[in-house]
Amino acid sequence: MRAGPTVLIVEDNYLLLEMLTKLCEQQGMRVLAASSGEAALTTLRDGGGAIDWLFTDICLPGLIDGWMVAHAYRERHPRRPVIYSSTTAPVEGRTVPGSIFVRKPFQARDILALASMMVASNVSENELRAAG
């Protein structure tokens, strides 16, 4: 049994990726990190079933942006939490239920608090569904 939830963090800013990774690991989470959309899709393909929530920057280098990463994640896990991040406002209608958009700059601890709340809510919902 895993110690805590697993998160896929997709962020092209190396310093922010490192900071979020360390913070999540300090909280007992297993972190899978990707710095591009292509790397994130490979991670989803190879270990997507174990990912409990996704944090993705929207603007990523290469052909695969954060919207595409989130879409691929949602195809596998339609009810699991997604946190989108960008320096610009989200495009209306792009986010999906069960997701949150945060504008950069943000406090990393706020992201962790949001994710913990979303994961706890998802677990409770699944437990209730299984029990009922």
Side-chain angles (χ1 to χ4, degrees):
M1 183 175 250
R2 293 181 309 197
T6 298
V7 57
L8 171 57
I9 301 174
V10 188
E11 173 59 59
D12 62 328
N13 179 313
Y14 178 75
L15 293 175
L16 183 54
L17 179 62
E18 279 296 307
M19 181 179 58
L20 288 169
T21 297
K22 287 181 192 272
L23 188 59
C24 288
E25 287 175 342
Q26 288 171 354
Q27 297 299 312
M29 295 181 194
R30 179 173 169 245
V31 177
L32 303 174
S35 59
S36 70
E38 290 81 2
L41 291 183
T42 298
T43 300
L44 284 172
R45 185 189 68 226
D46 295 344
I51 300 169
D52 297 301
W53 66 280
L54 170 69
F55 174 92
T56 185
D57 186 2
I58 293 171
C59 299
L60 298 168
L63 298 175
I64 308 295
D65 64 10
W67 297 118
M68 294 171 157
V69 171
H71 179 74
Y73 179 71
R74 284 297 183 160
E75 283 182 346
R76 288 178 173 249
H77 309 293
R79 298 193 186 277
R80 291 188 186 172
V82 175
I83 298 177
Y84 298 97
S85 175
S86 182
T87 56
T88 61
V91 176
E92 191 65 33
R94 293 291 305 257
T95 60
V96 293
S99 67
I100 294 176
F101 174 84
V102 292
R103 189 175 219 148
K104 292 180 181 178
F106 53 75
Q107 296 292 319
R109 293 200 182 279
D110 292 340
I111 299 300
L112 185 60
L114 283 171
S116 296
M117 180 182 65
M118 292 170 76
V119 168
S121 173
N122 190 47
V123 168
S124 298
E125 182 180 316
N126 287 339
E127 287 172 354
L128 288 174
R129 205 175 298 122

